[in-house]
Amino acid sequence: MDLSYSMKDDLENVKSLGTALMLEMEKITSDFRIGFGSFVEKTVMPYISTTPAKLRNPCTGDQNCTSPFSYKNVLSLTSEGNKFNELVGKQHISGNLDSPEGGFDAIMQVAVCGEQIGWRNVTRLLVFSTDAGFHFAGDGKLGGIVLPNDGKCHLENNMYTMSHYYDYPSIAHLVQKLSENNIQTIFAVTEEFQAVYKELKNLIPKSAVGTLSSNSSNVIQLIIDAYNSLSSEVILENSKLPKGVTISYKSFCKNGVNDTQEDGRKCSNISIGDEVKFEINVTANECPKKGQNETIKIKPLGFTEEVEINLQFICECQCQSEGEPNSPACHEGNGTFECGACRCNEGRIGRLCECSTDEVNSEDMDAYCRRENSTEICSNNGECICGQCVCKKRENTNEVYSGKYCECDNFNCDRSNGLICGGNGICKCRVCECFPNFTGSACDCSLDTFPCMASNGQICNGRGTCECGTCNCTDPKFQGPTCEMCQTCLGVCAEHKDCVQCRAFDKGEKKETCSQECMHFNMTRVESRDKLPQPGQPDPLSHCKEKDVDDCWFYFTYSVNSNGEANVHVVETPECPSGPDIIPIVAGVVAGIVLIGLALLLIWKLLMIIHDRREFAKFEKEKMNAKWDTGENPIYKSAVTTVVNPKYEGK
């Protein structure tokens, strides 16, 4: 269990785990033992703080934490659940600086320290509980630790003492040690790190991953579920195979499920009492150099039982026992004639044992094995024996060196589509000899002109040349597999107009002869113009808009694919112009006249109102400007004349 500070609440739940887990596992097995170990991190910077105060108590505030440590075996495997509760109850949380933890160090020590842990020859489960990631090989360099993990037990007084000396183990190293010791691992991790540990599970055979609640309250059910999952699967593994030896598996599982290759190694969904079978084939592709016997071991992961196979290689042919010693076929009896060849007696060499090693000067003989003006003996593809080249044999028996100087072979010719001579010829002395109708250095050029034949019977429509079964159009206006497509020519649409019309709408000039004259293309109906093929496709394409006999417009496209097939896509509904509707037109004209008359009347009325108002305003203005009294007649003169005496003084 990870005892870094983030696992504080988890420790409280694990303290009572012993007896509860014992009761649950008794339902599965009658022989169950449980132990407990804890880990934090390597006790060097930068994984922990090395100040004296932090070494005593790595936690902050008034938290009472124990000193940091790498791995501690708190309790070896025991059948006493109460003892588990007692010892785990005394454990305290510790702390470190970085987020990944040193759990791989703990797993390695648990795997290799079998005596201290108390492993027995039974099913072995390792529950790895944490809420963080992990350090692995190479991370030790941060703390100045460069020695690779040695995979050995270093527990003293139940404490791992070499964490500051050895780097973290690699994943492959862990896989090896867990497999050697038949330990099945259950990773009980929080939701946040599920993805990481599921990837790790894929690398560690016979392991499982469970989701740990934030306070580890579900750890018992997690262990039970993971145990059931592991125990329901059998996976075979084999020891390291000798050189040249291969092994294949075939499984015969429940319900008639059979698998081969990698899946042939395992069977799933197995219950107690079920029987499954595996068929294993071991093949020796070559003999060991010393001819010694070899041993391989096969066992199911998580179990100690294994099958040991002793391999005795048969390195000689049966015909060797029927050889004729001192045969006349081997240059006057200088060898044994066996399996159709001579095996020379001691002191004799050559294909027919015709040379003596005492008489032959190797330098003189080598001259017969060199080509003119060359320093290479047998073209570096063979050995010079008795003045003759003996060419090397290749692993692929179909590949052969040949020629007097081994200068030829049948596998170094030009290739096409990944095949020697394109599969259309034979490689002879590094040159392709093509089958009829093929040419080229790799026989990849077909001389057949049929693919270039246009619909008019001309090769490439008379507008190109046929090269290797493909038209090379010499007229830049024409393109397509047979140079029949012309994007800028006006006749493409007009040429096919009548045939498209008769096949799509059953009308037009060719209606009667449609089945005879218009079956040279494939036709597809589409709902609208948007569904027609658009420019940009590999095949040349022409968009057409034509009128039919009813003066309706119909739309279609014409293209020719790489196989020379013409394809037409036509809109299934033509666009027909509709005749004028008289009633709306008359009604519109009448309504327009009435509206115009009303508008003119309204305008006249408006002008009259404006004129009257102006006249009235003018009258009012003149009325206000009048200077005479409106009560007297301004032209009235009285008939009475009054004369006043100026001298009169009023006496």
Side-chain angles (χ1 to χ4, degrees):
M1 181 179 177
D2 176 7
L3 284 190
S4 58
Y5 187 76
S6 58
M7 295 286 284
K8 180 180 179 181
D9 54 345
D10 301 76
L11 180 60
E12 297 302 320
N13 286 310
V14 175
K15 287 179 179 180
S16 59
L17 176 67
T19 52
L21 184 57
M22 294 285 287
L23 292 173
E24 289 294 329
M25 292 301 289
E26 282 177 359
K27 301 175 183 177
I28 300 174
T29 176
S30 59
D31 187 11
F32 176 72
R33 293 188 180 184
I34 187 172
F36 185 81
S38 57
F39 66 90
V40 181
E41 187 56 277
K42 289 185 181 295
T43 54
V44 296
M45 282 288 287
Y47 313 110
I48 67 166
S49 175
T50 55
T51 59
K54 289 294 183 181
L55 286 175
R56 290 191 298 270
N57 182 0
C59 301
T60 57
D62 56 353
Q63 300 289 336
N64 184 21
C65 297
T66 189
S67 299
F69 56 90
S70 178
Y71 167 68
K72 182 195 301 181
N73 179 30
V74 177
L75 174 65
S76 299
L77 290 163
T78 178
S79 57
E80 301 176 25
N82 291 328
K83 188 175 182 181
F84 179 94
N85 293 349
E86 177 187 348
L87 287 176
V88 175
K90 296 178 181 179
Q91 300 305 304
H92 295 285
I93 290 295
S94 185
N96 61 321
L97 295 179
D98 62 340
S99 176
E101 315 294 3
F104 277 15
D105 277 341
I107 294 177
M108 178 61 76
Q109 292 305 300
V110 170
V112 299
C113 297
E115 186 176 340
Q116 291 90 329
I117 301 300
W119 291 120
R120 297 179 298 155
N121 191 18
V122 291
T123 300
R124 301 174 176 181
L125 296 179
L126 170 61
V127 181
F128 183 85
S129 175
T130 184
D131 64 348
F134 48 82
H135 285 296
F136 52 90
D139 288 353
K141 290 182 179 179
L142 295 172
I145 303 171
V146 295
L147 283 179
N149 194 286
D150 64 351
K152 296 180 180 178
C153 181
H154 296 288
L155 289 185
E156 294 182 12
N157 296 324
N158 288 322
M159 295 288 289
Y160 178 40
T161 57
M162 301 298 284
S163 68
H164 63 289
Y165 193 75
Y166 289 117
D167 193 6
Y168 302 97
S170 66
I171 295 175
H173 201 180
L174 280 183
V175 170
Q176 177 191 353
K177 293 301 179 182
L178 290 171
S179 177
E180 284 179 2
N181 294 281
N182 301 309
I183 296 173
Q184 304 175 56
T185 311
I186 300 172
F187 295 103
V189 296
T190 53
E191 182 69 33
E192 181 183 358
F193 288 92
Q194 280 287 301
V196 175
Y197 282 91
K198 282 182 179 177
E199 290 296 328
L200 181 61
K201 166 190 171 294
N202 295 333
L203 301 175
I204 301 180
K206 207 67 174 171
S207 61
V209 177
T211 303
L212 189 68
S213 62
S214 58
N215 58 3
S216 295
S217 59
N218 68 330
V219 68
I220 292 180
Q221 189 58 46
L222 185 153
I223 294 172
I224 300 297
D225 293 343
Y227 172 78
N228 289 332
S229 172
L230 291 172
S231 61
S232 66
E233 186 175 54
V234 172
I235 303 176
L236 296 187
E237 71 164 0
N238 52 266
S239 59
K240 184 178 179 181
L241 297 174
K243 183 180 178 182
V245 175
T246 58
I247 189 169
S248 63
Y249 294 84
K250 184 176 181 180
S251 60
F252 300 87
C253 306
K254 286 176 60 179
N255 303 322
V257 177
N258 301 337
D259 273 312
T260 56
Q261 298 181 351
E262 281 303 308
D263 289 335
R265 291 175 175 264
K266 64 183 179 180
C267 281
S268 303
N269 302 319
I270 303 172
S271 306
I272 294 175
D274 290 339
E275 180 180 295
V276 295
K277 295 182 180 180
F278 294 90
E279 181 182 286
I280 301 171
N281 289 314
V282 180
T283 305
N285 299 309
E286 60 183 73
C287 285
K289 291 184 178 179
K290 298 180 181 180
Q292 75 274 19
N293 294 344
E294 298 282 356
T295 299
I296 59 175
K297 296 179 180 180
I298 301 174
K299 69 175 184 177
L301 288 173
F303 297 88
T304 55
E305 293 86 352
E306 63 185 16
V307 174
E308 186 174 289
I309 303 175
N310 184 29
L311 303 179
Q312 298 179 353
F313 296 90
I314 302 173
C315 295
E316 293 187 352
C317 300
Q318 185 177 356
C319 59
Q320 286 183 269
S321 62
E322 303 171 357
E324 180 186 352
N326 303 318
S327 172
C330 298
H331 197 267
E332 301 176 354
N334 287 317
T336 300
F337 189 74
E338 58 186 22
C339 302
C342 287
R343 182 157 58 88
C344 299
N345 296 335
E346 186 175 354
R348 304 295 296 186
I349 58 175
R351 189 170 63 87
L352 299 176
C353 309
E354 66 270 28
C355 295
S356 170
T357 54
D358 297 331
E359 300 173 355
V360 172
N361 185 320
S362 61
E363 292 184 1
D364 292 341
M365 293 295 102
D366 287 351
Y368 292 102
C369 298
R370 294 192 190 97
R371 299 175 67 181
E372 189 176 353
N373 298 325
S374 175
T375 59
E376 296 178 344
I377 296 176
C378 299
S379 305
N380 289 335
N381 295 323
E383 294 180 300
C384 184
I385 299 177
C386 200
Q388 291 183 335
C389 285
V390 178
C391 301
K392 295 178 183 177
K393 300 288 191 296
R394 290 178 61 85
E395 291 184 6
N396 186 346
T397 55
N398 294 323
E399 297 178 353
V400 178
Y401 289 110
S402 60
K404 181 180 179 180
Y405 303 105
C406 301
E407 74 278 13
C408 296
D409 62 61
N410 64 347
F411 54 87
N412 272 324
C413 291
D414 290 344
R415 296 172 181 257
S416 177
N417 297 324
L419 299 175
I420 295 175
C421 300
N424 301 316
I426 299 174
C427 181
K428 291 186 178 180
C429 203
R430 303 186 180 183
V431 177
C432 286
E433 290 188 3
C434 301
F435 298 148
N437 277 340
F438 289 95
T439 187
S441 62
C443 300
D444 54 350
C445 182
S446 173
L447 299 178
D448 186 7
T449 59
F450 181 77
C452 300
M453 196 68 67
S455 58
N456 57 10
Q458 292 182 309
I459 294 178
C460 299
N461 195 29
R463 302 180 183 276
T465 57
C466 186
E467 299 175 1
C468 300
T470 303
C471 281
N472 180 22
C473 302
T474 54
D475 189 334
K477 293 190 297 181
F478 287 82
Q479 54 185 314
T482 55
C483 302
E484 290 184 273
M485 284 298 300
C486 179
Q487 298 282 21
T488 58
C489 298
L490 299 176
V492 174
C493 296
E495 179 183 354
H496 302 286
K497 164 188 172 182
D498 293 332
C499 281
V500 173
Q501 188 179 176
C502 79
R503 286 190 59 182
F505 309 112
D506 195 24
K507 55 186 177 182
E509 296 179 2
K510 295 187 178 182
K511 177 180 178 181
E512 302 300 329
T513 59
C514 193
S515 58
Q516 290 81 29
E517 300 182 18
C518 299
M519 304 306 292
H520 58 278
F521 57 82
N522 301 319
M523 190 180 73
T524 304
R525 290 181 172 86
V526 297
E527 295 179 358
S528 63
R529 294 171 63 184
D530 296 337
K531 301 293 180 64
L532 290 173
Q534 300 301 317
Q537 64 177 22
D539 302 329
L541 180 71
S542 293
H543 277 261
C544 301
K545 176 184 177 182
E546 298 291 338
K547 269 190 178 183
D548 63 12
V549 294
D550 299 324
D551 280 341
C552 296
W553 291 105
F554 64 97
Y555 300 87
F556 65 94
T557 61
Y558 183 86
S559 63
V560 180
N561 61 23
S562 58
N563 296 324
E565 297 176 346
N567 295 296
V568 170
H569 291 73
V570 58
V571 179
E572 60 186 6
T573 305
E575 292 183 1
C576 297
S578 57
D581 195 344
I582 302 301
I583 295 177
I585 294 175
V586 173
V589 172
V590 172
I593 294 172
V594 171
L595 290 175
I596 292 172
L598 290 174
L600 291 174
L601 288 174
L602 289 173
I603 293 171
W604 176 79
K605 181 65 176 176
L606 181 62
L607 292 174
M608 293 303 297
I609 292 173
I610 294 172
H611 180 266
D612 289 346
R613 287 186 177 179
R614 285 180 177 176
E615 290 296 322
F616 181 74
K618 183 177 179 182
F619 168 74
E620 288 291 328
K621 182 178 180 180
E622 291 178 351
K623 181 179 177 182
M624 293 295 295
N625 292 335
K627 302 297 184 181
W628 40 269
D629 186 1
T630 56
E632 295 181 359
N633 189 347
I635 62 176
Y636 170 75
K637 291 184 178 181
S638 176
V640 179
T641 302
T642 302
V643 179
V644 179
N645 184 1
K647 298 292 188 177
Y648 177 69
E649 297 179 353
K651 294 181 179 181

